[in-house]
mmCIF file of all heavy atoms in Angstrom:
data_model
loop_
_atom_site.group_PDB
_atom_site.id
_atom_site.type_symbol
_atom_site.label_atom_id
_atom_site.label_comp_id
_atom_site.label_asym_id
_atom_site.label_seq_id
_atom_site.Cartn_x
_atom_site.Cartn_y
_atom_site.Cartn_z
ATOM 1 N N SER A 108 149.391 7.152 -102.617
ATOM 2 C CA SER A 108 147.960 7.164 -102.906
ATOM 3 C C SER A 108 147.730 7.813 -104.261
ATOM 4 O O SER A 108 147.753 9.036 -104.394
ATOM 5 C CB SER A 108 147.209 7.938 -101.820
ATOM 6 O OG SER A 108 145.850 8.085 -102.159
ATOM 7 N N ARG A 109 147.560 6.982 -105.280
ATOM 8 C CA ARG A 109 147.208 7.509 -106.599
ATOM 9 C C ARG A 109 145.697 7.492 -106.751
ATOM 10 O O ARG A 109 145.020 6.601 -106.236
ATOM 11 C CB ARG A 109 147.862 6.673 -107.699
ATOM 12 C CG ARG A 109 149.360 6.931 -107.840
ATOM 13 C CD ARG A 109 149.944 6.170 -108.998
ATOM 14 N NE ARG A 109 151.376 6.458 -109.132
ATOM 15 C CZ ARG A 109 152.273 5.572 -109.501
ATOM 16 N NH1 ARG A 109 151.913 4.334 -109.772
ATOM 17 N NH2 ARG A 109 153.538 5.910 -109.618
ATOM 18 N N LEU A 110 145.188 8.461 -107.471
ATOM 19 C CA LEU A 110 143.751 8.502 -107.709
ATOM 20 C C LEU A 110 143.338 7.305 -108.541
ATOM 21 O O LEU A 110 144.089 6.824 -109.387
ATOM 22 C CB LEU A 110 143.374 9.797 -108.428
ATOM 23 C CG LEU A 110 143.737 11.100 -107.702
ATOM 24 C CD1 LEU A 110 143.236 12.283 -108.495
ATOM 25 C CD2 LEU A 110 143.176 11.128 -106.296
ATOM 26 N N GLN A 111 142.147 6.809 -108.283
ATOM 27 C CA GLN A 111 141.672 5.645 -109.014
ATOM 28 C C GLN A 111 141.335 6.004 -110.456
ATOM 29 O O GLN A 111 140.707 7.026 -110.720
ATOM 30 C CB GLN A 111 140.425 5.065 -108.333
ATOM 31 C CG GLN A 111 140.699 4.501 -106.946
ATOM 32 C CD GLN A 111 141.703 3.360 -106.978
ATOM 33 O OE1 GLN A 111 141.523 2.387 -107.708
ATOM 34 N NE2 GLN A 111 142.758 3.485 -106.198
ATOM 35 N N VAL A 112 141.767 5.149 -111.377
ATOM 36 C CA VAL A 112 141.448 5.375 -112.786
ATOM 37 C C VAL A 112 140.014 4.914 -113.013
ATOM 38 O O VAL A 112 139.722 3.729 -113.111
ATOM 39 C CB VAL A 112 142.408 4.595 -113.711
ATOM 40 C CG1 VAL A 112 142.044 4.840 -115.176
ATOM 41 C CG2 VAL A 112 143.839 5.016 -113.454
ATOM 42 N N SER A 113 139.125 5.826 -113.019
ATOM 43 C CA SER A 113 137.712 5.515 -113.229
ATOM 44 C C SER A 113 137.039 6.720 -113.858
ATOM 45 O O SER A 113 137.610 7.798 -113.940
ATOM 46 C CB SER A 113 137.028 5.163 -111.905
ATOM 47 O OG SER A 113 137.082 6.264 -111.020
ATOM 48 N N TYR A 114 135.819 6.524 -114.276
ATOM 49 C CA TYR A 114 135.079 7.594 -114.928
ATOM 50 C C TYR A 114 134.181 8.246 -113.893
ATOM 51 O O TYR A 114 133.292 7.617 -113.333
ATOM 52 C CB TYR A 114 134.262 6.996 -116.067
ATOM 53 C CG TYR A 114 133.527 8.012 -116.896
ATOM 54 C CD1 TYR A 114 134.077 8.464 -118.089
ATOM 55 C CD2 TYR A 114 132.309 8.530 -116.493
ATOM 56 C CE1 TYR A 114 133.418 9.399 -118.854
ATOM 57 C CE2 TYR A 114 131.648 9.468 -117.254
ATOM 58 C CZ TYR A 114 132.203 9.893 -118.426
ATOM 59 O OH TYR A 114 131.548 10.820 -119.180
ATOM 60 N N GLY A 115 134.449 9.520 -113.575
ATOM 61 C CA GLY A 115 133.667 10.199 -112.554
ATOM 62 C C GLY A 115 132.273 10.543 -113.030
ATOM 63 O O GLY A 115 131.965 10.497 -114.214
ATOM 64 N N ASP A 116 131.405 10.867 -112.092
ATOM 65 C CA ASP A 116 130.038 11.243 -112.437
ATOM 66 C C ASP A 116 129.967 12.539 -113.229
ATOM 67 O O ASP A 116 129.021 12.771 -113.969
ATOM 68 C CB ASP A 116 129.212 11.417 -111.158
ATOM 69 C CG ASP A 116 128.485 10.144 -110.764
ATOM 70 O OD1 ASP A 116 128.472 9.210 -111.564
ATOM 71 O OD2 ASP A 116 127.936 10.101 -109.652
ATOM 72 N N PHE A 117 130.972 13.403 -113.073
ATOM 73 C CA PHE A 117 130.858 14.757 -113.596
ATOM 74 C C PHE A 117 131.742 14.967 -114.822
ATOM 75 O O PHE A 117 132.968 14.934 -114.718
ATOM 76 C CB PHE A 117 131.251 15.769 -112.521
ATOM 77 C CG PHE A 117 130.498 15.595 -111.241
ATOM 78 C CD1 PHE A 117 131.129 15.105 -110.111
ATOM 79 C CD2 PHE A 117 129.155 15.898 -111.169
ATOM 80 C CE1 PHE A 117 130.437 14.939 -108.926
ATOM 81 C CE2 PHE A 117 128.453 15.740 -109.992
ATOM 82 C CZ PHE A 117 129.088 15.256 -108.857
ATOM 83 N N PRO A 118 131.156 15.198 -115.995
ATOM 84 C CA PRO A 118 131.964 15.549 -117.170
ATOM 85 C C PRO A 118 132.713 16.857 -116.914
ATOM 86 O O PRO A 118 132.187 17.762 -116.276
ATOM 87 C CB PRO A 118 130.927 15.728 -118.286
ATOM 88 C CG PRO A 118 129.698 15.042 -117.796
ATOM 89 C CD PRO A 118 129.713 15.162 -116.319
ATOM 90 N N GLU A 119 133.930 16.948 -117.411
ATOM 91 C CA GLU A 119 134.721 18.167 -117.185
ATOM 92 C C GLU A 119 134.381 19.228 -118.231
ATOM 93 O O GLU A 119 135.203 19.602 -119.058
ATOM 94 C CB GLU A 119 136.221 17.829 -117.206
ATOM 95 C CG GLU A 119 136.692 17.069 -115.980
ATOM 96 C CD GLU A 119 136.672 17.907 -114.710
ATOM 97 O OE1 GLU A 119 136.351 19.105 -114.789
ATOM 98 O OE2 GLU A 119 136.955 17.353 -113.630
#
Side-chain angles (χ1 to χ4, degrees):
S108 174
R109 285 184 179 144
L110 301 183
Q111 295 299 306
V112 180
S113 62
Y114 184 97
D116 267 350
F117 306 109
E119 288 291 357

